[in-house]
Amino acid sequence: MLNAKLASLSSPDQQTIVNLSPQVAIGGQQIIVIAGPCTVESQAQMELVATKLQAAPVQAIRGGVYKPRTSPYAFQGMGNEGLEILDRVRSTYETPVVTEVMAISQIEAIAAHADMLQVGSRNMQNFDLLKELGQVNKPILLKRGLAATLEEFVMAAEYILSHGNSQVVLCERGIRSFDSYTRNVLDLGGVVVLKQLTHLPVIVDPSHATGKRELVAPLAKAAIACGADGLIIECHPIPEESVSDARQALSLEAMVQLVHELQPVATAVGRTMAKVSKQPELVAA
Ligand code: PEP
Ligand code: MN
């Protein structure tokens, strides 16, 4: 297939490990989970999320502060104020945080506060953004475009790699199809292909793939069973009240339970769930 000089797997044991922190590595034997709300809404919301999820444990917290919304009239995210909330959560709970970058002008501020910069589906082929992210000294979570082929996806990663940043994680989050029952179609075959074609870690987002909370856990398990290196999942203290993507948000309790249910699936495919949970005194409280 591809003319992906840097992203292609060149030997069977080649595997990139992307470090979110000294404790959190993506692409190794351990499965990692990134979880949190679609959108950062308040300090209190993010503290609840971080406190509960450390017990799961999850290895990183997500939350959008610049949101790509279909309607220009919908809430666009808290912007800089949201970044400051993420930063406080990051230092108080000693957890890596992941958030989306939509524009070149946002890179500097986000890179200063977050441990991983997410490129959303709608920007997968924003080549100028990708080139600029190639010069950032932070890991990039590259989500597959809404209707991107696997080749286009890998070549988008190649843009980042070829501009100097080797820390790229691919994320399958479902692709558009004809059925509206699910929000998208989760391409698990694509996950297997990506694992065979590239040495980059591959994670799965069953939340945006399905759009319905009751479909998230089964597909999260399927993703681990077919070789994904991790998951990114949306959850919220009061899911129905999420300002965005409420229908797909898990409760924090369901999120914790899902992490536990993933363990036997990981074992079945020779992996383990990462156990890093900082500050056990907070977990016990
Ligand atoms: C998100 O993760 O918040 C998001 C908007 O996802 P995607 O780009 O996959 O739609
Ligand atoms: Mn969302």
Side-chain angles (χ1 to χ4, degrees):
M1 148 180 174
L2 317 159
N3 182 21
K5 297 190 178 75
L6 301 171
S8 296
L9 189 70
S10 55
S11 69
D13 55 356
Q14 186 191 12
Q15 172 64 51
T16 289
I17 307 282
V18 171
N19 288 292
L20 291 197
S21 72
Q23 293 83 18
V24 177
I26 313 182
Q29 192 267 349
Q30 297 194 329
I31 305 288
I32 62 93
V33 179
I34 303 167
C38 183
T39 301
V40 173
E41 298 168 20
S42 68
Q43 175 83 24
Q45 170 219 26
M46 292 308 289
E47 279 178 13
L48 269 174
V49 167
T51 307
K52 266 271 177 170
L53 295 189
Q54 279 199 324
V58 304
Q59 287 67 50
I61 303 284
R62 63 151 287 151
V65 300
Y66 296 105
K67 294 301 300 177
R69 305 303 301 280
T70 301
S71 165
Y73 309 115
F75 181 59
Q76 303 286 305
M78 290 184 81
N80 215 40
E81 202 189 333
L83 266 186
E84 284 165 17
I85 292 174
L86 277 180
D87 208 357
R88 283 195 289 273
V89 164
R90 180 189 190 214
S91 50
T92 307
Y93 297 88
E94 293 184 59
T95 176
V97 296
V98 182
T99 197
E100 177 164 351
V101 58
M102 288 175 58
I104 292 174
S105 59
Q106 297 162 357
I107 293 178
E108 198 180 331
I110 296 180
H113 295 292
D115 301 280
M116 182 179 230
L117 283 64
Q118 173 176 325
V119 177
S121 290
R122 290 153 192 84
N123 267 319
M124 189 204 80
Q125 284 188 316
N126 181 339
F127 299 118
D128 282 349
L129 179 63
L130 300 177
K131 287 181 199 169
E132 208 64 29
L133 290 170
Q135 313 210 22
V136 170
N137 189 22
K138 285 276 163 96
I140 308 297
L141 178 61
L142 180 65
K143 299 189 86 174
R144 183 176 180 183
L146 305 172
T149 65
L150 293 170
E151 177 162 3
E152 288 164 341
F153 189 17
V154 175
M155 292 313 284
E158 187 80 8
Y159 263 90
I160 304 171
L161 301 176
S162 64
H163 282 76
N165 188 348
S166 60
Q167 300 281 287
V168 177
V169 174
L170 302 174
C171 178
E172 161 58 30
R173 47 77 74 203
I175 45 175
R176 281 272 165 88
S177 188
F178 51 85
D179 193 336
S180 58
Y181 189 84
T182 55
R183 188 174 179 183
N184 291 291
V185 172
L186 181 59
D187 184 8
L188 289 180
V191 171
V192 180
V193 169
L194 291 168
K195 290 294 295 177
Q196 291 179 1
L197 279 181
T198 86
H199 52 81
L200 300 173
V202 180
I203 71 169
V204 166
D205 174 349
S207 306
H208 292 90
T210 60
K212 292 182 173 165
R213 68 175 61 84
E214 63 273 24
L215 301 177
V216 168
L219 288 176
K221 293 172 190 168
I224 300 311
C226 80
D229 297 300
L231 296 159
I232 180 166
I233 298 179
E234 288 187 348
C235 55
H236 192 282
I238 313 174
E240 309 72 36
E241 293 183 11
S242 303
V243 302
S244 56
D245 288 348
R247 182 66 183 87
Q248 70 197 31
L250 296 184
S251 68
L252 300 180
E253 294 72 24
M255 187 67 231
V256 174
Q257 190 188 335
L258 172 56
V259 173
H260 293 151
E261 288 174 7
L262 289 167
Q263 180 62 63
V265 184
T267 306
V269 291
R271 314 280 292 262
T272 49
M273 298 302 295
K275 281 285 174 263
V276 176
S277 170
K278 303 293 303 257
Q279 296 186 317
E281 67 279 8
L282 272 176
V283 173

